[in-house]
Amino acid sequence: MLSRVASSFYWLSRYIERSDGILRMLKINYASSQDTIQEFTWEPVIRIFAGLDDAESHKLENDSRAVLKYMVTGKTNSNSILNIITLARENARSVQEHITKDLWQCLNEYYHVVKDPKLDKALLREDPIGILDVLIKQVMLYYGTVEITMERGEGRSFMNIGKYLERAIQSVDILDLKFGSISDNPDLLTDTTYWKHLLLSLGGYELYLKTYREGFEAENVLEQVVLNNDFPRSVIYSVNNIQRYFDRLKNDNNLENYREMSFQIGRLQSRIKYSSVRSIRQEGLHLFLTQIKSELYGIGNALNEYYFANS
C-alpha cells in the first residue's frame, strides 16, 4: 500500500474518533451544567480539546451555548467538529477508490449534517442534547458501515490503529485532567457526581456499576479506565488493539521497521499490563499518565516515519 494511502486511512480514522470523544464529552458536560447548583465551568473540556490558553478559555468557560458553538461549528477552532470532519472527508476523498461507496456516502452525510447552517442556529436556540445525539449517531453509523463493508486488509488495519491510538490519548488526557483537579479541590475525591460524569463521558458508567458494587471510588475509576481489558475505552484495551492490528502489517518488505515498531508497542503494552493501581499511585499518577501519553505519541511519530514516509 502506498504511504500516502496508508496515511489517509490512519488520519481519517483518528479524526472520526476524535469527533466522537468531543461530542460525548460535550453532551455529558452540558447535562451536568444543567443539573449542578454550583457554578459550572467548561474549562476542562476547552483545555483538552481546544488547546486554548487561560485568557482565551476564561471568555468561554461559563457560557454553555458559546462553548458548544465554538466546539461544534467554530470555524476558527481547528479542533471543532466542523473542521475535524472536513479533514476526515478530505482524507477519505483522497482514497475514495480504496473505500466502499457506502462508507463514502456515510461520511459525506456526516459532513453535510455538520456543515448545515441550521445546525449553528439550533445550537443557540434548541435543546443541545438532541443535536449532539444526532451527530453521535452519525459517528455510530460510520463505525457500523466500516465494520460491515470494509475489506479486512491493510487499509482497515491502519484505520484501526488510528482509532485506538486516538482513543487511548483521549482517555489518558481526561484521566490526567480529572485527577489533577482533585489536587486543587480535595472534596471532589468523594463527590459521586464527579466520578459519574467522568465515566459517562467515556461510556463506562454502566460497566462500572456492574463491576464495582461498593460505590464510586477514585481507585476503582482509575483501574477501569487504565487497566480493565473489558472496557472498550480503557488504555490497555486500546493499546492491545494497536498491537493486534499492527501485527497484520508484517511482511517481508518492511521487517526492520516492523520489528522496531513492534518492540515500541510491546514495551508500552507491558508497561500498562504489569501495572496496578497501587504501583501507579506509588509512581505518581500524573507522571505515569504523562509517560504513557509520550509513548503513544512516539508510536504515532514512528508510524509517520516508517510507514507514511514523513507525510
Side-chain angles (χ1 to χ4, degrees), residues 55-295:
E56 292 174 309
S57 65
H58 186 68
K59 298 175 184 177
L60 290 171
E61 61 183 25
N62 296 320
D63 187 340
S64 294
R65 297 282 180 165
V67 170
L68 290 174
K69 189 173 184 299
Y70 182 76
M71 293 301 302
V72 176
T73 60
K75 294 180 180 179
T76 60
N77 175 13
S78 61
N79 230 21
S80 70
I81 301 300
L82 173 63
N83 286 325
I84 288 172
I85 298 308
T86 300
L87 290 171
R89 184 171 179 262
E90 288 174 1
N91 277 281
R93 184 190 294 278
S94 70
V95 293
Q96 197 168 347
E97 67 275 19
H98 297 278
I99 62 176
T100 62
K101 182 180 179 181
D102 287 334
L103 183 56
W104 169 252
Q105 290 176 337
C106 174
L107 185 58
N108 212 32
E109 181 182 336
Y110 188 7
Y111 168 78
H112 285 294
V113 169
V114 178
K115 192 81 172 173
D116 190 339
K118 295 178 182 177
L119 181 66
D120 213 24
K121 297 176 182 177
L123 284 170
L124 296 176
R125 299 174 184 172
E126 299 178 17
D127 176 21
I129 298 293
I131 297 166
L132 294 172
D133 276 337
V134 168
L135 297 176
I136 290 171
K137 286 177 182 177
Q138 289 291 327
V139 180
M140 294 300 98
L141 180 60
Y142 166 87
Y143 280 137
T145 306
V146 169
E147 184 63 28
I148 64 176
T149 68
M150 278 294 292
E151 172 192 354
R152 268 49 178 171
E154 286 187 335
R156 185 168 176 272
S157 292
F158 280 112
M159 291 175 79
N160 279 307
I161 291 169
K163 176 174 77 172
Y164 287 111
L165 188 64
E166 182 69 31
R167 185 176 294 183
I169 290 170
Q170 284 185 24
S171 293
V172 168
D173 276 341
I174 291 169
L175 264 187
D176 196 22
L177 187 61
K178 289 290 188 178
F179 274 85
S181 298
I182 295 173
S183 301
D184 301 323
N185 187 359
D187 291 341
L188 293 175
L189 197 60
T190 55
D191 187 341
T192 298
T193 304
Y194 186 76
W195 300 117
K196 177 182 177 180
H197 285 148
L198 186 157
L199 290 165
L200 284 169
S201 66
L202 290 170
Y205 178 64
E206 291 182 5
L207 178 61
Y208 185 94
L209 295 180
K210 293 175 183 177
T211 307
Y212 304 98
R213 302 293 183 179
E214 59 268 34
F216 291 97
E217 294 184 8
E219 291 196 350
N220 292 339
V221 172
L222 176 60
E223 182 179 61
Q224 175 165 315
V225 179
V226 177
L227 304 171
N228 190 324
N229 284 293
D230 296 324
F231 178 39
R233 291 185 179 272
S234 74
V235 181
I236 187 61
Y237 182 91
S238 296
V239 173
N240 285 343
N241 276 282
I242 292 171
Q243 179 72 71
R244 174 189 176 194
Y245 287 103
F246 181 73
D247 284 346
R248 299 183 182 184
L249 300 178
K250 184 178 182 180
N251 62 59
D252 294 337
N253 297 325
N254 68 346
L255 278 180
E256 186 176 347
N257 292 341
Y258 170 83
R259 290 187 184 119
E260 177 68 27
M261 273 209 65
S262 185
F263 174 78
Q264 196 172 349
I265 298 170
R267 181 179 60 194
L268 174 59
Q269 193 177 29
S270 296
R271 171 100 162 85
I272 302 168
K273 181 180 179 180
Y274 295 108
S275 294
S276 64
V277 172
R278 182 178 179 182
S279 68
I280 293 171
R281 286 291 195 188
Q282 289 175 342
E283 178 181 345
L285 178 60
H286 177 67
L287 177 60
F288 174 82
L289 293 175
T290 300
Q291 291 176 346
I292 295 300
K293 185 177 177 180
S294 176
E295 293 197 41

